[in-house]
Amino acid sequence: MAVFSEVDDGRPSSLWVRFGRGQRRGTVQTFRNKLRTLCRRSAQALTLALGVASVAPERATAAPYAAMVMDARTGEVLHSRNADTRLHPASLTKMMTLYIAFEAVRNGEITLDTQITVSRNAEAEPPSELGLRRGQKIALRYLIRAAAVKSANDAATAIGEAISGSEAAFARRMNRTAKALGMTRTTFKNAHGLTANGHMSTARDMTILGRHMLYDYPEYYNLFSRTSTNAGTKVVYNTNRRFLAAYRGADGIKTGYTRAAGFNLVSSAKRGDERIIATVFGGKSTAARNAKIAELLDLGFRRAPAYAKLQKPPMPPYLGNSGVRLAEDDTHGMAGKTIRVSGVISETLRPRPRPLPDPAPETLLAEAETEVETGTVTAREEVQLAALDSDALKSGINDALLEVTEVSDVSAIQPQARPEALQAEVEGEQALQAEIRTAVARAVEAPTQPRYTGPRPQARPAKFNTEVASLEEPVVVTRLSTSGGRYWGINVGRYTNRFQAEKVLLRTALAEMETLEGSLRKVVQSPRGFDANFLGMTKESAELACKRLNSRNVTCETLGPSS
């Protein structure tokens, strides 16, 4: 602030001007010019401030408020407001990215230890990021941690490209999975959630996704409650750690923020057997969002029943990457490959014949007889037939030999009547006959199984002894007692529990050591209580012990053999 004051220093047009603690000297015109400049700058600053104030309401309207509260056990909606309004989900999108990653690991598409090569597209993603570099290799488990805990955009993109080949193909898989989960008003365009045209969702759909994340893949759910984790290259901290530490029972799930979306959060909390999932869209700040989500969770715990039967949501059918990869359109992928097929068939493939079962020996015998008659059987085939050591085969071959012998004998009687061509056939038949005889001789000489010479069962007797045994007077055998007649006992009371009965037995034994020496302390349980008994006594010692105990006002009853 400037304070002007006239100073009489011999120059009437001179002024001293004090700015704060200091003061300056100059002419009136000089200070007028400076004052005009100061006012002009102040006016510009005021105009800028008014402009910012006029823009602020527009940003607020770009992220309207929406909320949903659901009982996670049954899926019952406990509160909703603008729950079906399509809004920007921001990094809540990464819940679907992680859901598909868990699905791919469970079904063997990829493993947690698979080394992912970072693409240029993943490296170029803006913060929040893990700081990945193009060509870098990193295990899938670390990318999952970074996306779940730090909400890293580059990690989410790398996950999508590793599973589906490209970010575009992964987005198609995200949309297909969303429809299968019942998220009817959600459309994904990327794996990280940064603002994109058409990338929209609702508070209801994100609440449904959070419930599926909880029950479909519980083995991974602990990721969302970690305040920090090792992401391979560095330790990252949870974007939701303040709320996790402040609200009792909170254990997840995911935050999200962009200028268009505002401050979003899907949170879950468990107290006893109750679990509530709440979603907020369009928070004005982190603190305001956390306060609102705490209010919604409190509302859910008040309205939810104390006891409810768990009804897990059904898992969507697994389809993998079927129908989501389009190689011509996806240019950022790593795993995707373009495979072109010409369509020209160079060779017609024919199915292989089904193998036939091994023929029975009888079938081979019939074929051998037929071939012997036609003269087409070979020596090798005869040897194979001879290897089949069976009586039926041998007899069949002998019959065939007889027929061949008859034919050769007839041809030998009248050799002059046959042409020279037939003479060669006769010689061939004679050679065939010699081969067959050799094969039969080998088969006959083959060792046979030795005859059984072991013990034989005895023959059944021709006549059985049918005499009736004489009935004699039964002999009663009595067991000699080894207890020396010590089968009496005493009872010193009945009690409500075993401990009291054992306590009384011990106290009584110490008080009557003389009469109870050598007896057995035993507690017998019955529907009416626990009886404290001393067993293994004679009748005299039992009666004496009861007399001595009764004289001291201790309840005592004798127990005989029939008690």
Side-chain angles (χ1 to χ4, degrees):
M1 179 178 181
V3 179
F4 295 87
S5 60
E6 293 186 1
V7 178
D8 187 6
D9 60 351
R11 290 182 296 177
S13 60
S14 177
L15 291 176
W16 283 93
V17 181
R18 176 175 293 175
F19 292 91
R21 295 182 180 181
Q23 57 184 9
R24 293 183 182 180
R25 183 179 178 181
T27 62
V28 175
Q29 186 63 32
T30 300
F31 288 107
R32 284 179 178 175
N33 293 337
K34 290 185 178 181
L35 182 60
R36 291 192 187 99
T37 302
L38 180 61
C39 292
R40 185 169 58 253
R41 291 178 178 176
S42 300
Q44 292 175 353
L46 180 61
T47 303
L48 180 60
L50 293 175
V52 172
S54 62
V55 173
E58 295 179 359
R59 290 184 179 178
T61 56
Y65 170 79
M68 167 71 80
V69 181
M70 179 181 292
D71 188 340
R73 300 167 298 176
T74 61
E76 178 185 1
V77 176
L78 304 176
H79 170 77
S80 66
R81 183 175 177 185
N82 300 328
D84 294 319
T85 302
R86 286 168 56 86
L87 302 172
H88 298 284
S91 288
L92 301 185
T93 304
K94 295 185 179 71
M95 287 196 300
M96 178 59 75
T97 301
L98 295 169
Y99 186 92
I100 296 178
F102 301 152
E103 179 187 56
V105 172
R106 175 177 290 182
N107 291 278
E109 294 183 58
I110 196 170
T111 67
L112 293 175
D113 296 321
T114 300
Q115 294 293 318
I116 308 302
T117 303
V118 179
S119 67
R120 179 186 299 176
N121 184 43
E123 178 190 22
E125 297 294 358
S128 172
E129 61 179 354
L130 184 60
L132 301 176
R133 295 292 176 261
R134 179 187 178 187
Q136 176 183 353
K137 291 184 178 295
I138 184 171
L140 176 65
R141 66 172 69 250
Y142 296 127
L143 296 178
I144 291 177
R145 293 178 185 177
V149 176
K150 184 177 173 55
S151 193
N153 296 323
D154 52 357
T157 301
I159 291 173
E161 292 177 345
I163 293 176
S164 296
S166 70
E167 190 174 18
F170 189 73
R172 287 189 285 271
R173 180 167 176 175
M174 293 170 71
N175 292 325
R176 185 185 65 192
T177 305
K179 291 181 180 179
L181 294 176
M183 303 168 62
T184 58
R185 296 182 61 80
T186 296
T187 304
F188 294 112
K189 297 294 183 179
N190 53 56
H192 43 67
L194 294 176
T195 304
N197 185 23
H199 189 96
M200 308 291 282
S201 186
T202 67
R204 184 186 303 275
D205 286 355
M206 283 297 162
T207 306
I208 293 173
L209 177 57
R211 185 167 181 251
H212 275 276
M213 183 73 74
L214 172 65
Y215 290 114
D216 291 355
Y217 299 99
E219 63 270 28
Y220 300 106
Y221 186 74
N222 67 88
L223 283 171
F224 302 103
S225 61
R226 299 183 185 180
T227 56
S228 63
T229 187
N230 178 19
T233 59
K234 59 183 178 181
V235 175
V236 295
Y237 297 92
N238 199 321
T239 58
N240 195 32
R241 60 185 180 275
R242 292 183 180 178
F243 183 77
L244 292 174
Y247 192 83
R248 181 170 63 91
D251 55 7
I253 303 178
K254 191 71 188 71
T255 63
Y257 168 76
T258 61
R259 292 181 179 179
F263 293 84
N264 301 346
L265 176 60
V266 176
S267 183
S268 175
K270 182 179 181 181
R271 294 178 180 176
D273 293 332
E274 302 177 24
R275 178 177 285 279
I276 303 298
I277 297 178
T279 301
V280 166
F281 273 66
K284 304 304 179 185
S285 65
T286 301
R289 176 197 66 192
N290 291 350
K292 190 63 181 179
I293 204 74
E295 177 184 343
L296 293 174
L297 288 173
D298 290 340
L299 181 148
F301 282 116
R302 288 195 305 269
R303 295 185 179 181
Y307 302 99
K309 183 179 179 180
L310 178 60
Q311 302 175 8
K312 295 183 180 181
M315 290 189 65
Y318 171 69
L319 299 177
N321 288 316
S322 175
V324 299
R325 290 188 179 183
L326 299 177
E328 296 294 337
D329 298 334
D330 301 341
T331 58
H332 301 301
M334 303 180 312
K337 296 181 180 179
T338 303
I339 302 176
R340 300 185 180 276
V341 181
S342 63
V344 179
I345 301 175
S346 59
E347 181 182 359
T348 301
L349 300 179
R350 297 184 180 276
R352 295 181 177 180
R354 178 179 297 179
L356 298 176
D358 295 336
E362 294 78 4
T363 306
L364 292 177
L365 178 60
E367 294 178 355
E369 293 177 353
T370 304
E371 294 179 353
V372 168
E373 292 177 357
T374 57
T376 59
V377 69
T378 63
R380 178 176 297 178
E381 293 173 348
E382 290 299 333
V383 171
Q384 293 177 352
L385 291 174
L388 298 174
D389 188 11
S390 63
D391 296 338
L393 180 60
K394 292 177 182 179
S395 61
I397 295 177
N398 291 332
D399 296 340
L401 289 174
L402 293 175
E403 295 180 2
V404 173
T405 304
E406 294 175 358
V407 172
S408 60
D409 292 341
V410 173
S411 59
I413 294 174
Q414 298 176 351
Q416 67 280 3
R418 292 190 175 187
E420 295 181 357
L422 293 178
Q423 184 65 27
E425 294 182 2
V426 172
E427 294 176 355
E429 291 176 357
Q430 293 176 352
L432 176 60
Q433 179 182 357
E435 293 178 358
I436 293 175
R437 292 183 182 278
T438 303
V440 171
R442 291 178 181 177
V444 172
E445 294 176 358
T448 59
Q449 185 177 3
R451 186 176 181 181
Y452 177 74
T453 59
R456 300 287 182 177
Q458 296 181 358
R460 182 176 182 180
K463 184 178 181 181
F464 292 96
N465 188 5
T466 59
E467 296 180 359
V468 180
S470 61
L471 299 177
E472 299 180 356
E473 188 70 19
V475 179
V476 178
V477 179
T478 59
R479 182 176 62 87
L480 298 178
S481 176
T482 59
S483 62
R486 304 174 66 90
Y487 42 79
W488 284 74
I490 63 173
N491 175 268
V492 293
R494 179 175 294 154
Y495 303 91
T496 57
N497 56 63
R498 183 178 295 275
F499 174 75
Q500 292 180 353
E502 291 177 349
K503 183 178 179 181
V504 171
L505 286 174
L506 180 60
R507 185 170 61 246
T508 306
L510 294 175
E512 283 294 330
M513 296 180 62
E514 181 179 353
T515 57
L516 297 177
E517 183 180 2
S519 61
L520 175 65
R521 297 195 302 269
K522 185 173 182 180
V523 178
V524 179
Q525 183 180 359
S526 64
R528 294 175 292 178
F530 294 84
D531 292 333
N533 299 334
F534 286 93
L535 304 177
M537 305 172 63
T538 63
K539 181 178 181 181
E540 292 76 12
S541 61
E543 292 176 350
L544 178 60
C546 273
K547 289 179 181 180
R548 294 173 65 92
L549 293 174
N550 289 331
S551 65
R552 291 201 295 269
N553 295 326
V554 176
T555 303
C556 179
E557 296 180 358
T558 59
L559 302 175
S562 60
S563 298

